[in-house]
Amino acid sequence: MSFVHADEIRSRFSAALSAMYRAEVPQYGELLTLVAHINAAALKADPALAERLDQAGDLARLSEERHGAIRVGTAEELSTIARAFAVMGMRPVSYYNLAPAGVPVHSTAFRPVDPEALRRNPFRVFCSLLRMELIEDETLRAEAETTLARRDIFTPGARALIDTAETQGGLDEDQADRFVSELLETFRWHAQATVSAQTYDRLVAAHRLIADVVSFKGPHINHLTPRTLDIDAAQAEMPRRGIAPKETIEGPPARACPVLLRQTSFKALQEKIVFPGETGAVEGAHTARFGEIEQRGCALTPAGRALYDAALARKDFSALPDDWTALRRQGLAWFRYVPTEQGLSRAGRLSGDLEALIADGDVAARPITYEDFLPVSAAGIFQSNLGAEARDGGYAADPARAEFEAALGCAVQDEMALYQAEQDASIADTLTALGVLRPVAV
């Protein structure tokens, strides 16, 4: 049997999800148009940027790049969504605890982990699990648990095809198409609430995000984020297109050498919903879904992240070098090393350490794109769209990682180990291609 590659299934699902979300949230279509315009202008104004992105393989993926976000309510929902994403070659990477910022969830990011798979389609989903123990009202907590236990966020077809993929090792063409169609239903918006208006109001009073997770048939896609090359220009352009942006951009300030992740969004939409009632349907409104834009920079090493976190706490980023060579030589950022045409022309006749090979023009160092997320920024985006009840420091800082991984059904992967492996593999491949046999220092 011939199976459809996981990367292709991921691409099909990402495209289908984008089309569905565009139909559900028309302003998302305007956001895509805005981002395409900004990116075209940025590439035209900076040919060096265009060349750097092209060499890194980022230019081809730029227009297709998306990250989504969903919130699930139970361990079974989380473990099954993990199995569904695995069919598309997506693994859970990193653990994010948002409780210290007053957001009662903990999260992971499902994404490809192989560099080539990322270049083919870097679709990611930031998936949060409600921390039920953080609902202080015991009666409300029990009601929320009962409500979630009654629902199934997956169609029978989706469950069957997940089983099929695991049993036979993949999906054929027909199965892959049906899988995309069936799984799409998990992410679809449903305007019919599953709780009464009174229960909904009590859930909102506890936290608007709790109401968003508990009150509906499934974990509707909350945002689907395109990648921009100039988030400051995008932030300025949104009001001119009738889109109300959040007040500030999350993440590091603008830099000549972008690092990590910068994010902004338009304000959450107020959407009409219908509550079940004893004497008939009751109309209401729900606010949760919003449009987000992100700009991705270079991944930082543990030393670089420590420096970034300290800079963030001080709100002074002057200690973090804004120069690619300094970031590389000080071991603050991850880089992919490749042989140059000159180096390849002299293969077998080269020696020296990596710095000498770079200085002589035989090796080029290219920043590795940051593929993950920043918990402080994620909390800031959530809070900007959750209303006045969002709060700082509302919950204890217990990360509960063991409980999360037990619910997930596996350990999350270490993002730093993935970047380290990519950098190390690029060095080994480069030295092999150049015929440099003896060990060299980074």
Side-chain angles (χ1 to χ4, degrees):
M1 181 180 291
S2 178
F3 295 137
V4 179
H5 197 284
D7 292 349
E8 173 60 23
I9 300 176
R10 184 172 67 257
S11 294
R12 293 181 191 181
F13 182 78
S14 176
L17 185 64
S18 185
M20 183 185 76
Y21 191 63
R22 189 168 191 160
E24 292 179 347
V25 183
Q27 217 170 28
Y28 169 68
E30 185 63 28
L31 201 67
L32 293 182
T33 301
L34 181 156
V35 168
H37 172 77
I38 294 293
N39 288 351
L43 292 170
K44 183 177 180 180
D46 191 347
L49 170 65
E51 182 179 6
R52 188 167 70 246
L53 289 172
D54 188 38
Q55 290 175 341
D58 280 1
L59 194 58
R61 79 183 211 181
L62 184 62
S63 62
E64 301 301 319
E65 188 157 353
R66 300 285 186 276
H67 102 248
I70 59 171
R71 305 156 187 168
V72 297
T74 69
E76 195 279 333
E77 290 177 355
L78 180 66
S79 63
T80 304
I81 204 71
R83 294 170 59 209
F85 285 133
V87 175
M88 298 185 276
M90 300 164 70
R91 305 287 184 246
V93 179
S94 295
Y95 171 80
Y96 303 91
N97 175 33
L98 304 188
V103 183
V105 299
H106 44 185
S107 315
T108 191
F110 291 95
R111 68 166 178 88
V113 295
D114 176 74
E116 287 305 317
L118 279 164
R119 280 189 276 277
R120 284 191 284 269
N121 188 298
F123 178 58
R124 318 168 188 83
V125 176
F126 191 82
C127 183
S128 300
L129 173 66
L130 178 62
R131 292 186 64 180
M132 198 68 69
E133 75 276 14
L134 298 181
I135 301 179
E136 296 176 357
D137 184 327
E138 293 184 6
T139 301
L140 185 63
R141 187 192 314 151
E143 193 168 349
E145 289 173 340
T146 299
T147 300
L148 290 171
R150 286 197 300 261
R151 77 179 187 181
D152 188 347
I153 66 173
F154 302 97
T155 66
R159 287 187 177 277
L161 286 162
I162 293 169
D163 289 340
T164 298
E166 292 173 344
T167 301
Q168 67 183 20
L171 298 175
D172 64 25
E173 278 287 345
D174 176 66
Q175 292 167 339
D177 284 340
R178 286 192 288 117
F179 171 80
V180 168
S181 178
E182 295 284 352
L183 188 61
L184 204 62
E185 294 306 308
T186 296
F187 294 76
R188 190 179 298 279
W189 167 249
H190 297 279
Q192 294 76 34
T194 57
V195 300
S196 68
Q198 292 77 18
T199 298
Y200 174 84
D201 288 341
R202 290 165 58 215
L203 291 168
V204 168
H207 200 292
R208 189 174 295 277
L209 185 143
I210 297 173
D212 184 59
V213 174
V214 175
S215 303
F216 298 92
K217 181 179 178 180
H220 39 258
I221 189 76
N222 273 279
H223 58 264
L224 199 56
T225 306
R227 178 180 170 186
T228 184
L229 299 175
D230 189 342
I231 201 166
D232 297 285
Q235 178 87 343
E237 180 68 17
M238 278 196 278
R240 291 195 282 269
R241 291 176 178 256
I243 302 174
K246 69 185 295 294
E247 286 75 13
T248 58
I249 295 172
E250 302 289 342
R255 294 165 47 91
C257 301
V259 299
L260 299 175
L261 178 67
R262 304 181 74 204
Q263 297 171 291
T264 189
S265 72
F266 63 68
K267 296 296 183 67
L269 306 172
Q270 187 175 76
E271 299 179 273
K272 293 181 179 180
I273 58 175
V274 176
F275 299 101
E278 293 182 2
T279 59
V282 178
E283 292 188 355
H286 179 68
T287 304
R289 303 203 298 168
F290 53 92
E292 187 176 279
I293 302 173
E294 65 187 18
Q295 180 178 348
R296 291 188 172 271
C298 181
L300 296 181
T301 64
R305 279 299 298 270
L307 199 58
Y308 169 81
D309 291 342
L312 185 66
R314 294 193 308 269
K315 295 182 173 57
D316 178 3
F317 289 83
S318 58
L320 186 64
D322 197 7
D323 174 83
W324 292 127
T325 300
L327 287 167
R328 182 177 59 78
R329 287 180 174 171
Q330 294 179 36
L332 300 176
W334 298 111
F335 286 81
R336 183 183 304 111
Y337 295 85
V338 296
T340 64
E341 289 186 11
Q342 172 188 295
L344 291 172
S345 72
R346 302 200 294 165
R349 295 178 284 118
L350 296 169
S351 62
D353 63 18
L354 198 57
E355 282 300 323
L357 292 169
I358 293 170
D360 290 343
D362 297 310
V363 172
R366 298 170 181 166
I368 294 176
T369 300
Y370 185 61
E371 305 288 355
D372 298 288
F373 297 91
L374 303 173
V376 173
S377 295
I381 290 285
F382 277 13
Q383 289 180 339
S384 294
N385 291 282
L386 290 174
E389 80 280 357
R391 51 200 180 268
D392 289 326
Y395 303 110
D398 169 26
R401 175 170 178 160
E403 289 85 348
F404 182 86
E405 291 183 328
L408 184 65
C410 64
V412 300
Q413 297 198 32
D414 178 3
E415 65 180 64
M416 291 298 179
L418 293 172
Y419 295 125
Q420 177 81 64
E422 183 175 0
Q423 178 173 287
D424 290 350
S426 75
I427 294 173
D429 290 345
T430 294
L431 298 181
T432 298
L434 295 179
V436 178
L437 300 179
R438 70 183 186 85
V440 297
V442 177

